[in-house]
Amino acid sequence: MLKRATCVRIVAAPDRHAVRTREEPAITDPTPDHRSALGLAVRALRHRRGLTLRQLADVLGVSSATLSAIENGKTGVSSERVAHLAEALEVPVDHLFGAGDGPAGAAPPRSVPSVEDWRHLPPLELDAALAGALSSFLEFGYHGATMRTIAERAGLSVPGLYHYYASKQEMLVALLDLTMHDLQARTAAALAEGHDPVSRFTHLVECLALYHTHRRELAFVGASEMRSLEPGARERVAALRRAEQALVDVEVEAGVRAGVFATTRPHEAARAVVTMCTALAQWFRRDGAATAEQVAEQYVDFALGLVRHDPSRAAQR
């Protein structure tokens, strides 16, 4: 069984401030997490097609400010505009993560780290309560952990713990929200550095592998305790996970269309690649034979094999 977390630094949690735009109010989707997932997808796909913000805004018939608000998750989007976005970006609507019909009620994570280099994963800054919850969930599991054990790990009294969070469930949701927003920011940055399907695909695989090794404690809890989430939160976090899967789906399909990936089953190959990377949290050890970076390099090679990448085919094009 995994032991208590060793890679978190305990600091005070910053205040949260909701941000909205006046130009286009939320029409069908008031959920911050859902808007964030949609915005990341739109930005990544726009970069993939070499479009500037103004160019895509002109196609959509909106201002650059409105499109920027969409990409930054600051405004909701109607189902009609989601369809228009999918058409302009040449992807199925479900690749935009079902904006407009996802579960509501999400709150933004208390601390979303900024990403200066997606390959560099410094220790996350967790408040005392979340650090205690993560440690307890790793050792005892969600159902075995109690508010008292969490408080002990956090160095707080039980009443002091309630000052941070109202329940054990709220702490689990906060940890998974932080995990998904951190991962989303990193995969978006990795995609933005790519210039073709192969480079974008390999960047995504490297990013996923690095995340599930450097952030293995969070990833382990995320995988093992999804079943412990209450229905609304579970549906929302599952939608964010599907969003990450869709990013890989898009690049594998693009590689097949470009003739650089020879797999005849791109959907299954993309699913196998993501599953392979997420499983790293189950077995990777920092004191093992290979570093996280070495494992990530190996997994890029494995992933290219799964999609049947042949460099000579690309050279001939």
Side-chain angles (χ1 to χ4, degrees), residues 19-84:
V19 179
R20 296 187 63 81
T21 177
R22 292 187 179 184
E23 181 169 355
E24 183 179 357
I27 298 174
T28 59
D29 178 26
T31 307
D33 282 336
H34 202 77
R35 294 199 303 263
S36 177
L38 173 65
L40 286 169
V42 171
R43 182 185 294 113
L45 290 167
R46 176 172 63 78
H47 287 166
R48 185 163 77 101
R49 282 160 178 74
L51 296 172
T52 66
L53 191 75
R54 179 173 293 279
Q55 286 172 331
L56 181 56
D58 288 344
V59 171
L60 296 170
V62 302
S63 69
S64 296
T66 293
L67 181 57
S68 177
I70 291 172
E71 289 192 350
N72 287 289
K74 296 179 180 178
T75 185
V77 183
S78 68
S79 57
E80 180 180 359
R81 180 151 291 165
V82 169
H84 198 183

Side-chain angles (χ1 to χ4, degrees), residues 3-27:
K3 299 298 183 183
R4 64 181 297 173
T6 58
C7 68
V8 296
R9 183 165 69 251
I10 301 175
V11 299
D15 293 335
R16 292 179 288 177
H17 298 282
V19 179
R20 296 187 63 81
T21 177
R22 292 187 179 184
E23 181 169 355
E24 183 179 357
I27 298 174

Side-chain angles (χ1 to χ4, degrees), residues 16 22 59 127 134 136 168 182 194-195 212 217 222 225 295 302:
R16 292 179 288 177
R22 292 187 179 184
V59 171
D127 62 51
L134 178 59
S136 295
K168 187 170 66 169
D182 186 22
H195 55 82
H212 287 81
E217 289 87 356
E225 300 298 350
V295 169
F302 297 156

Side-chain angles (χ1 to χ4, degrees), residues 38 71 82 88 90 108 121 140 185 216 228 245 293 298-300:
L38 173 65
E71 289 192 350
V82 169
E90 300 178 0
L121 289 89
F140 306 112
R216 72 183 185 94
S228 301
Q245 177 67 60
E293 288 68 26
Q298 293 167 2
Y299 270 49
V300 167

Side-chain angles (χ1 to χ4, degrees), residues 3 12 18 79 109 128 145 160 176 222 232 278 285:
K3 299 298 183 183
S79 57
L176 268 61
T278 57
R285 296 293 180 271

